Amino acid sequence: MVTRTDMTMSTITTMTMVENPACLLRLMSWLSPAFPVGAFAYSHGLERAINDGLICDQPSLVSWLTDLVERGSGWNDAVLLAQAWREASAGRDCEDVMELAEAMAGSRERHMETTLQGAAFGEAVAAWIVPEERQPAQPLVDGRPVSYPVAVGIAAALHSISLPETLTAHLHAFTSNLIQAAVRLVPLGQRDGIAVLTALEPVILRAASRAARSSLDDLGSATFFSDLLSMRHETQYSRVFRS
């Protein structure tokens, strides 16, 4: 259950990041590579794609990540984050969204990746007290597995952080983590990594804007090869990342 049940949509929409710079700082902290969710340990199947020669340079990495964000796991995560944000901001529990997010994991490794990161995020974000509540920090959810994007959506809603900015920051963190994996594995230079991130800016902005207006009817993935490679990664002889 979400620990805060008395928030209204008006509370969420009237406090924007422009009006409250602390929200921007908080979001930057939560989605920073230094935040202890262990994102650096996961390649999201990217390691297998590089091993099989499907990603070998800057253009192939841009193409791969664009597909994930626009029509793959990155897109589904954004839709689930948005739905969790809406449910939490309206004071409803997120049980159904949590269950659906688990079911959407395409493989055992993907399930492990999203739930372990979700649990780590929920534990770490409890250090922040919900605004207007002067009480000890509470767990994000009570005793239930929660996927990473759902955990981010709930936390952002409880802390009055707007949905569009949360989605943009989440997709930026998602792609940045995979770019860093590719920089190590392809390998790519740091300048190539920055060039990939630059190329993905309009992709991220478009996807965040779409996801902010989405519903669960917009869930769907067409990146089957990415899902298959994440399964093959489980049995890869030598690997650096967990997934």
Side-chain angles (χ1 to χ4, degrees), residues 44-215:
H44 206 68
L46 200 72
E47 184 170 14
R48 183 68 193 214
I50 294 169
N51 180 79
D52 291 357
L54 298 173
I55 298 174
C56 57
D57 54 17
Q58 179 183 319
S60 57
L61 179 59
V62 170
S63 177
W64 188 274
L65 296 180
T66 296
D67 285 344
L68 288 181
V69 170
E70 291 186 337
R71 59 186 64 87
S73 54
W75 167 251
N76 281 341
D77 282 355
V79 174
L80 291 164
L81 185 159
Q83 185 65 23
W85 186 95
R86 294 187 192 99
E87 297 291 340
S89 67
R92 298 187 292 266
D93 70 56
C94 295
E95 293 286 330
D96 291 344
V97 184
M98 290 161 62
E99 291 180 2
L100 179 59
E102 281 197 79
M104 294 293 293
S107 67
R108 184 179 67 88
E109 294 237 329
R110 288 275 175 87
H111 182 270
M112 176 184 69
E113 176 184 353
T114 192
T115 54
L116 289 181
Q117 287 190 68
F121 179 86
E123 181 177 348
V125 82
W128 279 265
I129 297 174
V130 174
E132 300 178 4
E133 287 187 0
R134 295 293 178 259
Q135 61 183 31
Q138 299 295 321
L140 191 64
V141 294
D142 297 327
R144 282 291 311 279
V146 57
S147 73
Y148 183 44
V150 170
V152 173
I154 294 172
L158 295 180
H159 287 262
S160 301
I161 302 175
S162 73
L163 179 58
E165 283 80 3
T166 302
L167 286 164
T168 303
H170 173 75
L171 288 171
H172 178 271
F174 172 76
T175 53
S176 295
N177 181 63
L178 297 184
I179 290 169
Q180 287 305 307
V183 165
R184 296 171 60 186
L185 293 169
V186 170
L188 294 175
Q190 290 291 341
R191 289 186 179 180
D192 284 332
I194 292 298
V196 172
L197 190 58
T198 301
L200 289 173
E201 277 190 359
V203 176
I204 290 170
L205 290 171
R206 285 196 306 268
S209 178
R210 285 174 54 212
R213 304 187 304 271
S214 70
S215 71

Side-chain angles (χ1 to χ4, degrees), residues 43 45-54 185 228-230 232-237 243:
S43 78
L46 200 72
E47 184 170 14
R48 183 68 193 214
I50 294 169
N51 180 79
D52 291 357
L54 298 173
L185 293 169
L228 290 172
L229 289 174
S230 76
R232 293 178 185 173
H233 188 254
E234 297 182 28
T235 58
Q236 188 166 320
Y237 174 71
S243 74

Side-chain angles (χ1 to χ4, degrees), residues 4 7-21 23 85 89 131-132 156-157 159-165:
R4 179 85 181 273
M7 298 193 71
T8 65
M9 184 62 72
S10 61
T11 303
I12 298 298
T13 55
T14 55
M15 182 182 292
T16 67
M17 293 179 68
V18 174
E19 294 166 350
N20 187 357
C23 289
W85 186 95
S89 67
E132 300 178 4
H159 287 262
S160 301
I161 302 175
S162 73
L163 179 58
E165 283 80 3

